[in-house]
């Protein structure tokens, strides 16, 4: 049995979110799970990844100016992917208990940034519009160096032109932030870069409209 203390990680995330709305935690997951996720990613054929879109945008050229990553949604029918989704479900329950966030569901995809790929500055949700409330990004890249590029740059909630911090996409690092507060971008990676991005939603269903999972 691993003695990894996930409750302690959840507590740190809750504290960070309460004080700043942003949390960056290294070694946030059991190394055994990280290894397994890496093997899972390595076993996936590249053609199971699809070009990522932006909202309902279907203009591929415009899209490619904004983001160049390829994605594959996580699926509960695979045991490992289900394990990751379960960890995020537990985080959801923890945050709901501690911070009364009212988080309702979670959706998540693997993202592959090939050499040269980037994602320009964006917000994951727009105030009052979307129901994505909390973003998570988890990194899977062993021994990532500064010269490998591909940093996540997070901008200030108060001033979207001012960078707040740069995060190396280092294996085991989990970044969590309020989706409609912090603009962020992925700088061009100099080598293949893998992450798992995900979003907690609140329930936006009404009698006339059942909120789709994505
Ligand atoms: C996203 C995103 C960041 C990353 O998918 O919306 O901002 O570091 N990803 O992969
Ligand atoms: Mn994003």
């Amino acid at each position: 049995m691993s003695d990894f203390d996930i409750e302690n990680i959840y507590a740190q995330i809750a504290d960070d979110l309460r004080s700043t709305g942003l949390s960056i935690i290294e070694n946030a997951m059991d190394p055994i799970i990280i290894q397994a996720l890496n093997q899972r990613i390595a076993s996936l054929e590249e053609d199971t990844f699809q070009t990522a879109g932006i909202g309902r945008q279907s203009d591929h050229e415009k899209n490619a100016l904004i983001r160049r990553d390829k994605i594959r949604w996580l699926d509960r029918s695979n045991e490992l992917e289900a394990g990751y989704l379960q960890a995020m479900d537990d985080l959801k329950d923890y945050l709901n208990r501690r911070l009364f966030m009212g988080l309702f569901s979670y959706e998540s995809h693997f993202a592959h940034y090939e050499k040269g790929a980037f994602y320009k500055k964006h917000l994951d949700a727009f105030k009052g519009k979307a129901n994505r409330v909390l973003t998570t990004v988890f990194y899977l890249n062993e021994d990532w160096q500064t010269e490998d590029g591909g940093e996540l740059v997070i901008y200030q909630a108060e001033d979207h032109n001012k960078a707040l911090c740069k995060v190396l996409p280092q294996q085991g690092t989990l970044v969590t932030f309020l989706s409609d507060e912090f603009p962020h971008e992925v700088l061009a990676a100099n080598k293949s870069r893998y992450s798992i991005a995900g979003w907690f939603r609140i329930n936006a269903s009404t009698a006339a409209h059942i909120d789709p999972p994505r």
Side-chain angles (χ1 to χ4, degrees), residues 179-190:
S179 303
D180 65 1
E181 291 262 333
F182 296 94
H184 52 283
E185 76 174 301
V186 178
L187 301 181
N190 298 325

Side-chain angles (χ1 to χ4, degrees), residues 2-156:
S2 162
D3 55 4
F4 191 82
D5 185 2
I6 193 80
E7 281 278 317
N8 186 36
I9 303 286
Y10 295 159
Q12 278 184 52
I13 295 171
D15 288 347
D16 291 346
L17 290 179
R18 188 167 43 198
S19 55
T20 65
L22 164 69
S23 168
I24 301 167
I25 296 191
E26 292 173 10
N27 304 313
M29 221 166 271
D30 192 325
I32 296 167
I33 295 177
I34 297 175
Q35 276 314 320
L37 283 168
N38 264 331
Q39 279 166 16
R40 175 73 187 145
I41 276 209
S43 77
L44 292 171
E45 299 292 339
E46 194 55 39
D47 65 7
T48 64
F49 284 74
Q50 63 199 74
T51 305
I54 40 171
R56 287 189 173 76
Q57 183 60 257
S58 57
D59 182 336
H60 291 300
E61 277 172 41
K62 197 170 170 192
N63 190 59
L65 296 175
I66 297 170
R67 70 186 294 188
R68 295 270 173 94
D69 58 323
K70 292 191 167 160
I71 64 165
R72 181 186 164 286
W73 292 94
L74 265 66
D75 186 344
R76 278 185 201 277
S77 65
N78 174 270
E79 201 184 332
L80 279 173
E81 296 176 31
Y84 182 84
L85 292 169
Q86 184 60 51
M88 291 298 134
D89 236 45
D90 294 345
L91 173 61
K92 172 177 70 107
D93 292 344
Y94 189 94
L95 294 176
N96 283 343
R97 274 201 310 275
R98 279 276 306 275
L99 304 179
F100 307 103
M101 288 188 77
L103 306 175
F104 175 71
S105 67
Y106 183 72
E107 56 182 339
S108 179
H109 62 58
F110 292 120
H112 182 200
Y113 290 74
E114 287 165 351
K115 185 172 161 47
F118 55 79
Y119 192 165
K120 297 286 186 202
K121 193 201 284 188
H122 64 281
L123 275 168
D124 286 345
F126 294 95
K127 275 206 165 38
K129 282 230 168 174
N131 54 348
R132 281 180 171 180
V133 288
L134 194 64
T135 300
T136 62
V137 194
F138 182 66
Y139 296 108
L140 291 166
N141 311 291
E142 204 174 352
D143 203 20
W144 194 270
Q145 305 291 328
T146 312
E147 57 266 28
D148 298 329
E151 293 102 332
L152 174 71
V153 184
I154 302 175
Y155 293 86
Q156 295 183 6

